[in-house]
Each structure stands twice: as structure tokens, then as C-alpha cells.
Amino acid sequence: MRKLRDLYFVIGLFLTVNCATATENSPFAFKAGDPDVVTIERTYTTSFVKKDPLCKDNRLSHLCDFLVDSYSRRFEREMVIRFNQSIDFDSPDFTSIDRSRSFQHVILFMHLSKNIPVATLYSFFKIDTPKDPDEFSIETFNYDLEKKKSLAFNELFEDSETAAMLCARAVQKKFEKDGSYMLPVVIAATELSPHNFIITKNGLRLFFAAGLLNNEKGIVSECDINIDDLKDAKPLAKFWPQLKSKEKK
């Protein structure tokens, strides 16, 4: 119960924090000397990654180490691309190039379900670049403890194409009133295959980057989809045990 309460606390804190104001109370204000924080210095970037205590679990430690390294490498690669795109190669004055470092703070938060063999990992990102400070996003990762591999969306249903279409319709229904010009793109991507999701007790929860479907730069959008609304896609009882009891009736 404590872990579940902490989960909702961290998610709520992230979704309500004002991204424009960095205070010492921010979840991204890591304390100096915190043994759970890994610092990785690369040529143009510095990454600070705070591990969840569950990363010490033998079943999950290798996954955490992989993600820490992956996030830092990806961030460096993305910043190098941005850096190269900002260079005016027609100008002979290369002394004016801004070589300021970029920083990312990442919080890894893990949750182990008691009813299904799945570990859910949330990665919260705060990225500060010279031109764009305070970029916020969230990524999710579902890990099958039995098969020791990540879970793809198409492994949750007998008919994953139908499931993706149903998810897309749910996203459209929830966000169409907000009038985001990015909604058609998000719907098309969801129809292809939802990727930023978690398995919940009652279905699925999809996450979308802050500002993508709303006008709030610091608030991540989410969409809950009940498993009953996905029944036409034949969801697997391995991930939603309540389906077994419904089949018996």
C-alpha cells in the first residue's frame, strides 16, 4: 500500500508542478550526495538520473542500469543534432557558436503489481537546454517478470489491431474538445500502435507529452481506457485476472 500511495503521489506531483518555477521543493531538485542519483557527464550534456529503490531488486537492477545508460546516450545524441542544426555554416565566425551544456533530470519510479507478473516503470524527464529550459515529458516501460523482457502493446491482446483502433477512438473522444492541432497526428500514431502506456488494474492508461494535447507546458495528458471498452480485442487474462471470473459466468 505504501508503494501504491507513493506512486500516485509522485504522478500527481509531476502533473501539477509548475514547470516554469524551479524550487527546492521540486521533485527534480535532487539532493547533493544522494546515493540513488547517478550522474553521467558527456561531451555536451549532463544527465542526472534518480533510481527507484526497487532498482536494487535483482530482477530489475539490470533493467534500471540499461535505462540509465540509454537515456544519457540518447540525450547526448539529440543535443548534438540540435547543436549541429543551430550552426550557420555560411558564417565564417564560429566563435559565436553557443556551446553551453544541456542538462536532463530523470526520475525512475517503479511499481510491482501483486496480481500480475509485470513491473511498471515511469520515467519523468526535465530537460534544460540553452534555448529551451524546462521541457517536461514522461515515458513508460512495462516489463514482463516471467519472460524477462519488455511488453509490447500487441502482446496484451489476441487482436491488437482492434485494440489500437479502440484506444485511438478513446483518445479522440477525450481530447477533441481541446482543439489541439496535433490531435490527428496522435490519433494516427495510436491507431498504428500505442507505445506510451501502462497496464492498470482496470485497463490501460496512455500518456502524452506535456503541451502536446493541451496548452499547459507542464502538464502531461493521460487517458484511461477501461478493459470493458477493449473486450472486442480479446484482452489476455494474464494481465487482467478479473477476465477469468467473467468467462466462468
Side-chain angles (χ1 to χ4, degrees), residues 84 116 124 165 177 180 204 207:
N84 289 335
I116 60 176
F124 301 99
M165 292 294 292
K177 63 180 183 300
S180 170
L204 293 174
F207 293 94

Side-chain angles (χ1 to χ4, degrees), residues 22-220:
T23 68
E24 62 181 8
N25 294 322
S26 165
F28 295 100
F30 301 155
K31 294 181 180 179
D34 188 335
D36 292 326
V37 175
V38 179
T39 302
I40 302 176
E41 300 272 358
R42 298 194 183 275
T43 305
Y44 298 102
T45 64
T46 301
S47 296
F48 304 96
V49 185
K50 184 176 178 62
K51 290 184 176 181
D52 186 275
L54 280 175
C55 286
K56 298 175 184 177
D57 189 307
N58 290 333
R59 297 170 298 174
L60 301 170
S61 58
H62 67 287
L63 172 62
C64 292
D65 292 340
F66 167 78
L67 291 174
V68 169
D69 182 67
S70 176
Y71 289 154
S72 65
R73 289 178 181 275
R74 183 181 68 182
F75 184 51
E76 175 80 0
R77 182 172 63 252
E78 291 175 350
M79 292 306 104
V80 168
I81 292 174
R82 290 195 194 186
F83 176 75
N84 289 335
Q85 290 175 339
S86 68
I87 297 176
D88 182 2
F89 291 98
D90 294 327
S91 172
D93 182 16
F94 281 89
T95 61
S96 61
I97 298 174
D98 186 0
R99 293 184 172 85
S100 301
R101 295 186 69 79
S102 296
F103 301 87
Q104 77 167 344
H105 290 73
V106 186
I107 299 175
L108 302 184
F109 196 91
M110 305 192 81
H111 173 63
L112 284 175
S113 174
K114 293 182 179 180
N115 300 317
I116 60 176
V118 174
T120 300
L121 184 141
Y122 303 77
S123 299
F124 301 99
F125 296 84
K126 176 180 180 292
I127 295 176
D128 296 299
T129 66
K131 293 185 178 180
D132 298 299
D134 294 333
E135 296 180 22
F136 287 76
S137 62
I138 180 175
E139 292 183 11
T140 60
F141 195 93
N142 300 280
Y143 185 74
D144 190 322
L145 294 170
E146 293 180 341
K147 296 182 178 180
K148 298 181 180 180
K149 61 184 288 291
S150 63
L151 275 169
F153 182 82
N154 60 12
E155 296 178 87
L156 307 179
F157 304 88
E158 291 186 25
D159 186 351
S160 60
E161 291 185 1
T162 296
M165 292 294 292
L166 292 171
C167 287
R169 298 289 76 78
V171 170
Q172 181 179 15
K173 182 178 179 180
K174 178 167 184 177
F175 295 107
E176 60 184 353
K177 63 180 183 300
D178 297 327
S180 170
Y181 72 94
M182 287 298 295
L183 181 59
V185 178
V186 171
I187 292 174
T190 304
E191 288 177 347
L192 183 63
S193 180
H195 71 281
N196 210 16
F197 67 91
I198 63 169
I199 302 168
T200 67
K201 179 181 178 181
N202 298 315
L204 293 174
R205 178 174 298 155
L206 278 60
F207 293 94
F208 304 96
L212 185 65
L213 295 176
N214 57 37
N215 295 321
E216 301 291 339
K217 183 182 177 183
I219 299 180
V220 172

